[in-house]
Amino acid sequence: MTRRDFTERDIHMALDGELPGEERMAYDAWLEANPEMKAKSVRYIADRAALRAALAGVMDEPVPARLKAAVLGDAPTKTPAWRSRWWLSAAAAAVLMVGGFGGYVAGIGGIGRSDDRDEQLAEQAIAAHVIYAGEKRHAVEVPASDKDHLQTWLSNRVGLRLVAPDLTAEGFDLVGGRLLPSGEHGKAAAMLLYEDANGERISLFVTAESSETVKGTYAAKADGPEAVYWLDKGYGCAVVGSLPRERLSEVAKSAYGQLLAGISS
């Protein structure tokens, strides 16, 4: 087989399942030899997962009555602008991808499911965790050894004073962190990754939010990682992991308290 040089186009072909099978081994070797391209591949995977998470369930929702009426000619020619933009965006995204994540939400302390914003936060946090927690070489952009720079950088980009919680009492050490896109255009989110002595990893996902106070737990699927999340005091926070629920809640409460104290100080 004749070897060839791969390009960024091949990354997209691989992600779409269009890269010929006989080229896969050479492609994987090319990624390993080109850290910049591998980082792009990881980022594209995360972006795709975040998009799927953000639109989870849209494909299964019934067509709104107003759209049915519009198609049949029984509705006004103009719908509210925000509704039109949402459904056009959802339809465009649905054309580009198939599938999504189902989900369930269970309340903490009697607080149950609220609007879609808290669910979207949890889905984005889980998607990021699934992609990066399993990475060995590129899990984080800034390591814990450069913690001061990590906190300053993420604080400036997210728009919140972010202090990485100390979870050593819970058995987890900081691995490092990275910057991620958030649900809305132009917004950023921070992800902090932690690991225990057994190699089990949890992540903390933080972004600026303006929603009302809400908290809960969420899982994209029954056998996948769970997120314990809060929307409070202008920010959204989700702790994600595959720990037993009570254990994850304990770690999340510690992280939440320290994060809140850092933001408020």
Side-chain angles (χ1 to χ4, degrees):
M1 182 182 69
T2 303
R3 295 183 63 88
R4 68 177 180 86
D5 291 331
F6 292 96
T7 66
E8 188 171 343
R9 178 175 179 272
D10 294 293
I11 295 177
H12 294 289
M13 290 180 64
L15 294 181
D16 293 337
E18 297 178 355
L19 188 71
E22 63 271 17
E23 295 184 358
R24 187 73 204 196
M25 186 177 296
Y27 168 78
D28 290 339
W30 173 74
L31 280 186
E32 291 299 327
N34 293 273
E36 181 180 351
M37 288 300 179
K38 185 172 183 179
K40 283 187 177 182
S41 175
V42 170
R43 188 168 69 250
Y44 294 157
I45 292 172
D47 290 345
R48 183 175 63 175
L51 179 60
R52 284 179 172 174
L55 295 176
V58 170
M59 294 286 289
D60 299 324
E61 291 182 1
V63 177
R66 65 181 182 277
L67 294 186
K68 287 184 178 179
V71 171
L72 297 174
D74 298 330
T77 57
K78 185 176 182 180
T79 57
W82 68 270
R83 292 179 183 269
S84 299
R85 286 194 297 269
W86 160 249
W87 283 103
L88 284 172
S89 298
V95 170
L96 294 174
M97 68 181 189
V98 177
F101 301 124
Y104 64 88
V105 177
I108 293 179
I111 300 178
R113 179 169 180 166
S114 62
D115 60 22
D116 290 339
R117 188 172 295 273
D118 56 303
E119 184 173 312
Q120 180 178 341
L121 170 74
E123 288 170 337
Q124 290 176 333
I126 290 174
H129 181 85
V130 169
I131 294 298
Y132 292 111
E135 280 287 321
K136 298 303 181 183
R137 295 178 59 187
H138 302 286
V140 299
E141 292 179 285
V142 179
S145 58
D146 201 1
K147 183 178 178 180
D148 289 342
H149 168 63
L150 173 67
Q151 293 179 148
T152 301
W153 173 55
L154 291 178
S155 295
N156 291 337
R157 295 303 302 272
V158 175
L160 293 168
R161 185 175 185 273
L162 183 60
V163 176
D166 182 354
L167 300 179
T168 53
E170 284 71 34
F172 286 90
D173 294 320
L174 181 66
V175 176
R178 65 169 48 250
L179 188 69
L180 295 171
S182 187
E184 298 180 14
H185 179 70
K187 288 185 62 177
M191 175 182 171
L192 298 174
L193 190 65
Y194 294 81
E195 185 177 78
D196 67 8
N198 297 319
E200 183 72 29
R201 287 179 169 181
I202 61 171
S203 60
L204 173 62
F205 184 93
V206 184
T207 186
E209 273 289 353
S210 58
S211 299
E212 60 183 331
T213 300
V214 64
K215 60 182 178 180
T217 62
Y218 181 91
K221 54 183 180 179
D223 58 347
E226 262 190 355
V228 180
Y229 65 86
W230 290 266
L231 275 70
D232 191 18
K233 300 186 184 301
Y235 75 95
C237 163
V239 176
V240 183
S242 297
L243 304 175
R245 180 173 293 185
E246 290 187 4
R247 172 70 173 139
L248 183 63
S249 295
E250 290 176 359
V251 176
K253 287 177 181 177
S254 175
Y256 168 72
Q258 294 182 55
L259 182 66
L260 184 60
I263 291 175
S264 302
S265 62

